[in-house]
Amino acid sequence: MKKYRAGIDIGSTTVKLVVLDENEQILFGEYRRHHAHTQQTLAKLLKEAQLKLGECALQLKITGSGSCGKNMTWEYYSGGDLIFYGSGAMYDYTVEDLPWGEFADYICAVKMADKITSISAYAFANCIRLQQARLSRSLTEIPVSAFQNGVSLE
């Protein structure tokens, strides 16, 4: 079976997939708007890649990113890091609409820029593997529900 490397980027509006051969030549590269249906859109892209490339094994690297405040962005890396950049307040979210919610089962560490002043309720809810959190020194409060369900911080 052929083995390739693949990169997946899930952004605030699109899902991107690129598949590389052993010489780092692009064999497949596409992106689609996901309209808040990231899993379904990614599944379609993976199916398209399989139709083009045939049966193969993929070594995956996954990232995600987007906006989460007026002056704030987030990035997720497949090693389990969720990083927040910028300043000011995080938008308010529910458990169901967290932009990084698709990665909750894989988040191991949270890192936050020092000029971030607030986080949403449920910001890290259901992050069952979360073990480290470096929060902003500028936070004025941390909602009780921010670390709901299974967090075991050091």
Side-chain angles (χ1 to χ4, degrees), residues 84-88 111-118 134-140:
F84 294 90
Y85 299 96
S87 62
K111 299 170 186 167
M112 190 174 287
D114 281 332
K115 293 185 179 182
I116 293 170
T117 58
S118 74
R134 186 195 153 287
L135 302 179
S136 170
R137 294 179 201 159
S138 300
L139 287 177
T140 56

Side-chain angles (χ1 to χ4, degrees), residues 20-123:
L20 305 174
D21 67 12
E22 63 278 353
N23 297 315
E24 304 212 5
Q25 297 299 306
I26 297 174
L27 302 175
F28 180 88
E30 276 301 325
Y31 75 96
R32 295 276 188 302
R33 290 196 171 278
H34 56 63
H35 305 285
H37 301 287
T38 54
Q39 291 180 349
Q40 298 91 330
T41 305
L42 177 58
K44 288 178 185 176
L45 281 175
L46 289 167
K47 185 67 174 171
E48 288 177 29
Q50 181 185 28
L51 290 172
K52 181 174 181 180
L53 303 172
E55 289 296 318
C56 61
L58 297 178
Q59 178 185 9
L60 294 174
K61 294 287 184 183
I62 302 171
T63 66
S65 62
S67 174
C68 60
K70 183 177 177 186
N71 297 307
M72 192 173 177
T73 59
W74 66 274
E75 293 182 4
Y76 169 80
Y77 297 93
S78 58
D81 288 344
L82 178 62
I83 303 173
F84 294 90
Y85 299 96
S87 62
M90 183 182 286
Y91 294 141
D92 288 323
Y93 296 107
T94 65
V95 172
E96 293 82 23
D97 67 357
L98 284 168
W100 50 89
E102 300 282 340
F103 304 110
D105 289 346
Y106 310 103
I107 295 169
C108 299
V110 170
K111 299 170 186 167
M112 190 174 287
D114 281 332
K115 293 185 179 182
I116 293 170
T117 58
S118 74
I119 60 175
S120 173
Y122 310 105

Side-chain angles (χ1 to χ4, degrees), residues 110 119-127 130 132-133 135 142-153:
V110 170
I119 60 175
S120 173
Y122 310 105
F124 311 112
N126 301 321
C127 295
L130 182 60
Q132 296 178 324
L135 302 179
I142 300 173
V144 174
S145 58
F147 292 95
Q148 178 179 305
N149 298 335
V151 175
S152 59
L153 293 173

